[in-house]
Amino acid sequence: MLHVLLFFYFLVSSSHAAVQDFCVADLKAPQGPAGYSCKTPAEVTVDDFVYSGLGVAGNTSNFIKASINTAFADKFPGLNGLGLSMARVDLAPGGAIPMHSHPGSVIAAFVSSDNTVYSRTLKEGDIMVFPQGLLHFEVNTGRTPALIWVSFSSSNPGLQILSYALFSSSLPSELIEKTTFLDDDEVKRLKALLGGSG
């Protein structure tokens, strides 16, 4: 049985009044700090406002037993300028979304800047808010796949998974050891597992 949990991630942001009805992303133009440039109204179609990519379960046969399918402006151009996006997270039994910044029986938690852990086992239909910029994670502790719906208050919120940032990169092992208090053997093991170098 697949359990579905609603999980919303809200960022504190200001709202600006729109000066036009919409700003559908022009994916042919470069992306700037404020998002994509707008397509001309003549180039906009109804397809820019419809996205069907969240209806299919993701492939969870990987190292973390999880899949994240995003509906960000680069895939769903109608979101551009609206200050929101969504994602579908599929977790196989035992799957985990590692600690990052940006459910059957899913434990979700975040760690505040004073290192207080806010953790809860979520049930079907539960919603948990993760404050902007705090490290957080989800783990499926159940025996059936879990589905998490995520909402962001940005059309392109970005994602950086801490484990991959450290151990899939070329960051020198010596720096990782000093900043994480892990020994050399463990850092080398994790870099080998996740494809890092240095």
Side-chain angles (χ1 to χ4, degrees):
M1 180 167 89
L2 179 69
H3 294 283
V4 178
L5 276 86
L6 297 176
F7 160 60
F8 293 91
Y9 181 93
F10 292 95
L11 303 175
V12 178
S13 64
S14 61
S15 175
H16 302 287
V19 294
Q20 56 195 43
D21 289 340
F22 48 78
C23 178
V24 172
D26 181 354
L27 301 178
K28 297 175 194 158
Q31 184 180 11
Y36 289 95
S37 300
C38 306
K39 283 184 175 181
T40 65
E43 296 174 296
V44 174
T45 70
V46 69
D47 292 336
D48 292 316
F49 300 100
V50 178
Y51 182 70
S52 302
L54 300 181
V56 178
N59 180 0
T60 59
S61 61
N62 54 50
F63 173 68
I64 60 174
K65 299 180 183 177
S67 171
I68 302 171
N69 186 6
T70 60
F72 296 172
D74 63 331
K75 294 181 183 174
F76 190 6
L79 290 176
N80 193 52
L82 296 180
L84 63 103
S85 59
M86 293 192 73
R88 174 189 175 134
V89 178
D90 291 284
L91 290 174
I97 301 298
M99 190 74 78
H100 57 280
S101 63
H102 82 32
S105 187
V106 171
I107 296 173
F110 68 89
V111 182
S112 69
S113 58
D114 69 357
N115 295 322
T116 301
V117 176
Y118 295 87
S119 177
R120 175 68 52 96
T121 299
L122 302 176
K123 300 181 298 297
E124 187 170 346
D126 285 352
I127 296 173
M128 185 168 183
V129 175
F130 291 0
Q132 178 182 4
L134 296 181
L135 292 172
H136 55 278
F137 65 88
E138 301 83 34
V139 176
N140 180 356
T141 58
R143 295 177 186 214
T144 58
L147 171 62
I148 300 171
W149 292 101
V150 183
S151 177
F152 302 92
S153 62
S154 168
S155 61
N156 194 14
L159 171 69
Q160 185 175 40
I161 296 180
L162 183 60
S163 304
Y164 291 112
L166 291 174
F167 305 113
S168 292
S169 70
S170 61
L171 186 64
S173 295
E174 182 178 290
L175 291 177
I176 296 173
E177 292 162 19
K178 288 182 183 201
T179 60
T180 63
F181 306 110
L182 295 173
D183 65 37
D184 187 58
D185 289 340
E186 185 64 10
V187 170
K188 286 179 179 172
R189 185 186 76 77
L190 291 168
K191 281 193 166 220
L193 183 66
L194 296 175
S197 63

